[in-house]
Amino acid sequence: MSETENEAPDADAPQQSDLDFKINLLFPGVVVRKDLVKAVKGNAIVPSYVLEYLLGQYAASDDEATIQAGIDTVRKILAEHYVHRNQSELVKSTIRERGRHRIIDKVTATLNEKADVYEAEFANLGIKGVLVEPATIKAHPKLLVGGVWCICDIEYFHSDDARVVPWILGSIKPIQLSNFDFEGYLAARREFTTDEWIDLLVQSIGFNPELFGRRAKLIQLVRLIPFVERNYNLVELGPKGTGKSHIFSEFSPHGMLISGGEVTVPKLFVNNANGRIGLVGYWDVVAFDEFAGKKKRADRALVDIMKNYMANKTFSRGVETLGAEASMVFVGNTSHTVPYMLKHSDLFDELPDSYHDSAYLDRLHHYIPGWEVDTIRGEMFSSGYGFVVDYIAEVLKSMRSADYSDRYQQHFTLSSNISTRDRDGIHKTFSGLMKILYPHEEATPEEIEEILRFAIEGRKRVKDQILRIDSTMADVKFGYLDTDGAWHPVSTLEEDEYPAYYHRERREGAETTADRGEPTLGGSAPTVEAEAPREPEPVAEPPLFEGHREFQENQRGVSFDTLIIPYLRGAGQITIIDPYIRQFHQARNLMELIEAIARTKDAADEVNVKLITAENIEGADKLRKQLEFLVKIKQGAAVGGVNFDVAFDNTIHDRSIVTDTGWRILLGRGLDIFQYVTGDAFDLATKLQEFRQVKAFGITYIRESA
């Protein structure tokens, strides 16, 4: 692929940006360059947060020599000290022969009440009963709760007493974060703009923020809410390969990903046979991977217990009621497009029948539209700096007890029509995003409104689909009032994209006989008197829309053919004013508009198109490249009977299209309305604009005298 086919930054030659410099300056020692993890992981089956901790210790620098030396050090540490389970006996032998050896392993401690001592168990090495000093437990209490990855010195001393464990813990150093300065975190947050902070968080997840729009970034960050908000119920359904489960498997030591989406009551909640509490008692987040699938079987008792837990944060063990704080996340793949699901069923169509239940679905606080998330590609991964994931995981965990759900109320009021359960869902999403984006509680009314709308949309997506499933549920008007009393309705993106399918009433039961064209009552088809064929009456085209329209980020179904071309028909002179026709994708958009003009005009006609744009003043090479693009457009346009001309004016700012037929189209973003396109010849979005996601933009149509 040539450089002109893809304007994505070169991931093979990372260069430190101003943001990266700022990140290193304000968060020394707890950030790492995100492309280094793959370089050091090798065949070590160790979580990313452990690798990033080591990289943060040895390679947290902006100096290439220091980074390379740090990578070499981390590789050496892993090679010499990481314990592979299939090599545990070899490591045990090494400890015995040397008398002392340093290892990297996951260590869990328990209290032996009979002997009144703490004992450690090593997950990969496979030894247990190793004595631990109380001072060590006091310094690192997480050893008692789920275990901690550590660098340990293990000694071997054999005794004739068979009851004495020969393994001795010489020293232990956790390689997960043991403490952090939360006030320092807040102070550093204040030094970042909101855009910078969002980009830092996106880089911390591992993605390049330059390839994501604002809405796409927020969708990624919603995946973090279960880590910062107690008892948060989240669902994400969408196409394969969009990274739905990545965060829950690699991002935090406090999350558990269950593959297959199938789990039992004892494993998840409580085992009545031995009284042992299940996963919800030990983890902050329990995520169900591959949750979708109509053929998957689910225990009805499990569904009922989950419904109670998701609503009340409690579950029963016999006569005793227990509580837990684990958030529940459900991720799964869809096999149909959004309009197909809206036309034939609902957006929960892929769920197993036991979960396709209005009472269960009503417990979900937010629905992430997975179909808006791009399939993960190599260039999407970040080579910039982000938080060591264990650091940000601990920050988020520390805020789980805080409640930011009322921070919007001095500026906005939710609709009184919104039910308590809907309100809870909105509040929990809003609180989570506030804690993630504005932990210092310094957000403007506009920033608060942005995440409030996002929270309302996610809950509305849940409720609107429930209304299709259960017609007894009361309809809800989702929106809010500002301090002036003005009403602001909120819609989902798919509602704006496919209104005909979104708002249709769901039919109950099978199709009627009339729907199928089958015989009606009486068993015979109705008699239809034969008529002579009649000429169809001409249908007058509706008048073109005048006024302003807004399009949301990530919206699909938008093309120049529907957006602009109807207003250019019949025009002999078209003037396009756009100061930014400089880069390849901008020139490509202009050429696509000219292609549409050539395609729709009469072959015998010629159309004059004049572009008024600004020169690229960022350097001689970039100006030369801009001129090359414009010359190619002129040559290509001539073949289609379009005479293309260019004039430069470096004082212009507004963007518009003016025709000699009396139309003026004001373009908020000019022609640069589409998000990044891969250039892949097998991607529909490469050739067909309606399959591309758009950036947020507005357009105004004004009818003037010709």
Side-chain angles (χ1 to χ4, degrees), residues 254-487:
H254 308 301
M256 165 65 74
L257 180 69
I258 305 173
S259 298
E262 297 180 3
V263 70
T264 62
V265 172
K267 183 177 181 181
L268 188 60
F269 292 106
V270 64
N271 189 328
N272 285 331
N274 56 23
R276 183 173 298 172
I277 303 299
L279 296 174
V280 296
Y282 294 96
W283 298 92
D284 289 348
V285 180
V286 178
F288 298 80
D289 194 11
E290 301 174 7
F291 185 67
K294 288 187 175 183
K295 295 182 180 179
K296 291 183 181 291
R297 293 190 305 170
D299 182 359
R300 191 70 222 183
L302 173 63
V303 177
D304 292 338
I305 294 175
M306 286 182 65
K307 282 196 291 189
N308 184 64
Y309 174 76
M310 292 165 66
N312 305 316
K313 311 168 190 175
T314 61
F315 55 95
S316 298
R317 184 184 72 178
V319 296
E320 184 181 7
T321 300
L322 304 173
E325 298 179 357
S327 295
M328 309 289 274
V329 180
F330 308 94
V331 297
N333 297 326
T334 54
S335 55
H336 298 293
T337 64
V338 171
Y340 181 94
M341 289 188 286
L342 290 176
K343 180 179 180 180
H344 296 282
S345 55
D346 55 77
L347 297 179
F348 288 114
D349 180 58
E350 300 286 345
L351 295 188
D353 289 339
S354 297
Y355 293 100
H356 199 263
D357 172 76
S358 60
Y360 164 77
L361 297 174
D362 205 26
R363 269 73 170 170
L364 297 171
H365 297 128
H366 192 94
Y367 187 148
I368 293 178
W371 48 86
E372 290 189 39
V373 183
D374 273 348
T375 302
I376 303 301
R377 306 182 303 272
E379 68 267 21
M380 294 173 68
F381 293 108
S382 175
S383 59
Y385 286 82
F387 289 122
V388 174
V389 290
D390 192 52
Y391 172 79
I392 188 62
E394 291 302 318
V395 170
L396 297 179
K397 181 179 178 63
S398 72
M399 300 180 71
R400 282 173 69 86
S401 59
D403 182 9
Y404 284 31
S405 62
D406 63 347
R407 302 303 193 267
Y408 71 88
Q409 293 180 359
Q410 60 179 317
H411 305 290
F412 308 102
T413 304
L414 286 181
S415 166
S416 58
N417 184 246
I418 295 177
S419 69
T420 300
R421 188 160 284 166
D422 294 327
R423 194 176 297 265
D424 287 345
I426 294 167
H427 280 176
K428 290 182 79 67
T429 302
F430 177 82
S431 176
L433 284 175
M434 277 294 295
K435 286 186 274 189
I436 292 168
L437 299 179
Y438 309 104
H440 56 324
E441 301 187 58
E442 297 173 12
T444 66
E446 293 75 20
E447 291 169 335
I448 288 174
E449 183 176 19
E450 176 186 33
I451 62 175
L452 178 62
R453 290 188 66 90
F454 202 79
I456 294 173
E457 181 189 343
R459 176 57 190 179
K460 184 180 191 295
R461 183 172 291 109
V462 173
K463 194 58 173 283
D464 285 355
Q465 303 314 303
I466 293 174
L467 292 174
R468 287 169 166 254
I469 298 169
D470 186 352
S471 59
T472 64
M473 285 259 185
D475 198 2
V476 180
K477 291 183 179 179
F478 284 90
Y480 56 93
L481 300 167
D482 60 25
T483 52
D484 295 328
W487 169 250

Side-chain angles (χ1 to χ4, degrees), residues 510-521:
E511 295 176 309
T512 65
T513 54
D515 291 329
R516 295 191 297 264
E518 294 180 359
T520 55
L521 292 176

